């Protein structure tokens, strides 16, 4: 974990494999912050800016004519992230806003590192080069991939990454849990298989803490 950049905003990221309820969690966080008159933006990775969203289309659109190399996938993720950090995340944080991001750099370690088997030290080098702002806290919604993938399939057509096999997502989950174990002060791990009201109660506990810290 790199040193935190100094800024007046709060950077909160949401992580987890497909189908764990990240979108629902983001909506709950939006409602919480709006009710407390907090200025915030909601964004996502890959994506978040015009150029980054174009890269997202390359990353997630299935292409039967050409396999996207794992190395290319990783570099595209960080290209999108560079745009995202410079043009959206950092300006909002400097303005004192909350930034809620559906995925961030931890996803590259989980998906391209553990999932694809790429060198974690190379990912760390890219992170050090591209990322200058780090999350204050990260919510990891954890559930067995078999549960999450069933939920994801029920949403409709699957994107390129969602089409991966179960063992890929099991490695991704393990990658996330390793990240959380190695940075327990930042990560807030929530069992996503429990009733939604309990998930939201745990998220609220974290948000209450962050809001208190921001106003002190």
């Amino acid at each position: 974990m790199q040193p935190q950049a100094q800024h007046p905003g709060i950077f909160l990221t949401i992580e987890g494999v497909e189908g764990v309820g990240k979108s629902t969690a983001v909506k709950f966080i939006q409602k919480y912050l709006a009710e407390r008159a907090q200025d915030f933006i909601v964004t996502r990775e890959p994506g978040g800016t015009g150029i980054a969203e174009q890269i997202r289309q390359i990353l997630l659109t299935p292409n039967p004519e050409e396999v996207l190399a794992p190395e290319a996938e990783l570099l595209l993720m960080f290209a999108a992230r560079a745009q995202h950090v410079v043009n959206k995340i950092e300006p909002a944080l400097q303005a004192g806003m909350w930034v809620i991001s559906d995925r961030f750099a931890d996803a590259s370690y989980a998906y391209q590192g553990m999932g694809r088997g790429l060198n974690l030290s190379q990912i760390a080098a890219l992170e050090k080069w591209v990322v200058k702002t780090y999350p204050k806290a990260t919510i990891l919604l954890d559930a067995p991939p078999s549960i999450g993938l069933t939920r994801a399939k029920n949403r409709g057509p699957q994107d390129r990454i969602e089409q991966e096999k179960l063992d890929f997502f099991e490695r991704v989950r393990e990658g996330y849990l390793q990240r959380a174990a190695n940075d327990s002060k930042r990560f807030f791990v929530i069992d996503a298989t429990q009733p939604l009201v309990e998930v939201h109660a745990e998220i609220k506990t974290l948000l209450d803490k962050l809001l208190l810290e921001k106003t002190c």
Side-chain angles (χ1 to χ4, degrees):
M1 178 80 181
Q2 301 294 327
Q4 291 279 346
Q6 297 300 311
H7 48 63
I10 296 288
F11 187 15
L12 175 64
T13 57
I14 319 296
E15 299 282 359
V17 300
E18 274 64 21
V20 292
K22 291 186 292 84
S23 296
T24 302
V26 168
K27 290 177 182 177
F28 175 79
I29 295 168
Q30 287 181 270
K31 184 174 183 292
Y32 174 99
L33 294 176
E35 288 174 347
R36 289 157 181 80
Q38 297 293 302
D39 291 330
F40 66 91
I41 63 168
V42 173
T43 189
R44 67 179 182 179
E45 287 208 348
T49 74
I51 291 175
E53 288 291 333
Q54 292 178 39
I55 298 172
R56 179 186 178 89
Q57 290 302 310
I58 297 172
L59 284 162
L60 299 186
T61 302
N63 184 348
E65 298 180 0
E66 182 178 0
V67 175
L68 185 63
E71 294 82 359
E73 179 180 280
L74 174 65
L75 292 170
L76 285 169
M77 287 288 186
F78 271 96
R81 185 165 294 133
Q83 291 296 115
H84 194 205
V85 168
V86 170
N87 293 319
K88 190 162 192 176
I89 294 175
E90 288 184 344
L93 292 172
Q94 290 296 341
M97 302 176 73
W98 291 68
V99 175
I100 313 303
S101 184
D102 182 341
R103 301 198 194 284
F104 193 59
D106 293 301
S108 288
Y109 289 92
Y111 279 80
Q112 287 76 51
M114 292 295 288
R116 303 290 187 207
L118 296 182
N119 190 302
L120 296 179
S121 64
Q122 292 178 335
I123 298 174
L126 287 170
E127 181 187 26
K128 184 176 181 180
W129 182 33
V130 169
V131 179
K132 301 298 186 288
T133 298
Y134 292 84
K136 174 73 173 178
T138 297
I139 295 172
L140 174 57
L141 295 171
D142 180 57
S146 58
I147 295 175
L149 290 177
T150 298
R151 293 174 180 173
K153 288 179 181 178
N154 292 334
R155 295 193 304 234
Q158 295 175 293
D159 64 36
R160 186 182 66 85
I161 292 179
E162 289 173 340
Q163 292 176 4
E164 290 291 341
K165 304 296 184 183
L166 179 61
D167 61 341
F168 171 82
F169 292 105
E170 289 174 341
R171 294 194 299 273
V172 171
R173 182 194 187 194
E174 180 59 28
Y176 272 130
L177 291 174
Q178 287 181 14
R179 295 283 293 170
N182 292 335
D183 196 357
S184 58
K185 289 185 178 180
R186 172 169 65 91
F187 273 87
F188 194 76
V189 182
I190 297 176
D191 178 1
T193 66
Q194 61 186 333
L196 188 59
V197 64
E198 295 182 24
V199 172
H200 285 173
E202 292 193 38
I203 294 175
K204 183 180 181 299
T205 296
L206 174 63
L207 295 175
D208 288 344
K209 177 176 179 291
L210 293 175
L211 183 59
L212 179 62
E213 291 175 356
K214 189 175 189 295
T215 54
C216 286

